[in-house]
Amino acid sequence: KSKTRFLYTNRAAQTMKRIKDFVKERSEDGRESRVSRSLFTQKHSDVLSAKGADNVTLNRFKSRQKETTETLKGWNLYNRLRRYLLTEEELRVNGFPRPDGDAGVAFYSPQPPSCGGDGGRTCCRCGRGYSVGVGGVYAKPEECVYHWGKAWRQRGKGGESRYNCCGAEVGAEGCSLAGRHVSEGGEMGAFRETRGCLGAGEGESCGRPGVGGMGEPLSPGLAAAFPGHCGAPSPGVYALDCEMCYTVEGLELCKISVIDENLLVVYETLVLPDNPVVDYNTRFSGIAADDLADVSMRAEDVVVELQELFFADTILIGHSLQSDLKVLRLIHSSVVDTSLVFPHKMGPPLKRALKNIVIDHLQKIIQDDVAGHDCREDAKSCMELMLWKVKEDIKTEDKLRAKPLCKDSIKLMQTDANSLAKVTKR
């Protein structure tokens, strides 16, 4: 028994994971049940004599499902994911960076409220105001007392809201202490836009075959080196997640992971922020000062390398991906956001946590490490969620195909058949 639904879901997922691991260990040790083997074993003579034919059930959709699952890659996966791409309006409403006419200039809405004029800022953790001078130097050092958890409305007890970090009521004094106030900050530096193809400028379309025209195919060598260009199997599908830390200018990139459709890491690196770090946000980022001690890679270098992997038609998958694109200072339009594909039951602007979505649909537990989140794990989970979603779409299509016709449709088909027979006789 569990007191809350959240605890019950966690325990159920853990139990299922232990059962799966136990079955996997038994199968690896070669200790499968004789009964299970006998269900799939039959003599050739029995097949020829049709022994047990009365107990056989045929599934005409089994072969198609197996084939579709195995070929859920390349163009097949890309085309099925296109239905979940965000529209231009959805990109703007959800705060994704959008081009603002001039090259390198971007806007996004809503604008971060944490930066004010005359050096005045508002702490994004405790909500208190503080001042900074030139270069982000604090005018007066102040400690930040805050709640690291979110406020959740509980059922019963008048529907009061409490923080999930310590259980205190909303408005109570914080349960965590930090040395400085922090803010998310605004835009820092110029934005880059993913380009169309090899040799094309930023934002230009390449006319790639199957996307919007007839582009010149690349040589086999270039097609293998640049999977998103013309002549490649598809423009590419990748899942992306970033970890961030607080600097004197706001949130900045400190780690990035990119996962492909095979759930393999194709790009991952630690990143040294451009400005002095105020708080490494280790509870959520999993990054500490020692991790960045010997790192020289900058966010601008990361974007240059990503532009060799991502192109205008490449589908990027992520959870609340607008935050990742902002710290990357990257403008990209082909986006699938799992926070919108799996919406909150109360509707926007509320969004479900990635951890809860994964528990509900994949029966897995993520973000369970006290050392902080793992962006590789989060990116992989986003890709797995969309693969699961596409497979569910395929199952739904198969059920619709298998659905029996109504009586009116059968009568109409019979009438058409009779009319055709009469015309044939004449």
Side-chain angles (χ1 to χ4, degrees), residues 39-298:
L39 293 175
F40 303 97
T41 304
Q42 193 172 11
K43 296 180 180 179
H44 182 62
S45 58
D46 294 341
V47 176
L48 296 177
S49 62
K51 182 178 180 181
D54 296 337
N55 299 324
V56 176
T57 302
L58 297 178
N59 183 359
R60 58 176 177 153
F61 299 105
K62 183 176 181 181
S63 60
R64 179 183 178 275
Q65 289 178 356
K66 181 179 180 181
E67 179 183 1
T68 307
T69 301
E70 292 177 350
T71 58
L72 200 58
K73 301 180 185 300
W75 278 111
N76 190 8
L77 176 62
Y78 182 88
N79 289 327
R80 286 188 171 275
L81 286 174
R82 290 181 68 183
R83 70 180 68 177
Y84 297 108
L85 290 175
L86 299 187
T87 63
E88 181 63 29
E89 181 181 359
E90 290 173 330
L91 290 170
R92 293 173 182 264
V93 169
N94 288 278
F96 283 84
R98 307 307 304 144
D100 194 22
D102 298 332
V105 180
F107 74 93
Y108 41 87
S109 177
Q111 293 288 342
S114 54
C115 293
D118 300 329
R121 298 183 180 180
T122 302
C123 181
C124 61
R125 295 191 294 203
C126 67
R128 295 183 179 181
Y130 66 102
S131 300
V132 296
V134 180
V137 179
Y138 286 76
K140 180 182 177 181
E142 294 181 1
E143 293 182 339
C144 178
V145 181
Y146 65 101
H147 291 280
W148 59 264
K150 294 182 179 180
W152 296 93
R153 178 166 304 204
Q154 296 182 339
R155 296 180 180 178
K157 300 181 181 181
E160 62 182 10
S161 298
R162 292 181 176 272
Y163 292 105
N164 61 358
C165 52
C166 61
E169 296 181 0
V170 174
E173 187 177 3
C175 59
S176 301
L177 178 66
R180 294 287 186 273
H181 294 296
V182 294
S183 65
E184 294 182 358
E187 58 182 78
M188 294 177 292
F191 279 71
R192 293 174 178 265
E193 188 172 0
T194 48
R195 55 198 177 116
C197 189
L198 185 65
E202 293 185 358
E204 297 180 5
S205 176
C206 66
R208 193 176 300 119
V211 177
M214 294 298 294
E216 291 294 328
L218 295 180
S219 64
L222 284 176
F226 299 95
H229 290 100
C230 301
S234 77
V237 177
Y238 300 98
L240 167 71
D241 189 68
C242 297
E243 300 297 349
M244 312 157 203
C245 61
Y246 291 104
T247 70
V248 294
E249 294 296 339
L251 280 173
E252 292 193 40
L253 179 68
C254 59
K255 187 178 180 180
I256 180 174
S257 295
V258 181
I259 304 293
D260 66 3
E261 60 192 29
N262 298 312
L263 305 180
L264 300 176
V265 179
V266 295
Y267 185 83
E268 186 175 76
T269 183
L270 291 167
V271 184
L272 184 66
D274 296 329
N275 297 284
V277 178
V278 177
D279 192 330
Y280 286 93
N281 199 26
T282 306
R283 183 187 297 275
F284 297 103
S285 68
I287 303 298
D290 296 339
D291 298 326
L292 302 181
D294 300 325
V295 176
S296 59
M297 178 74 71
R298 299 284 186 171

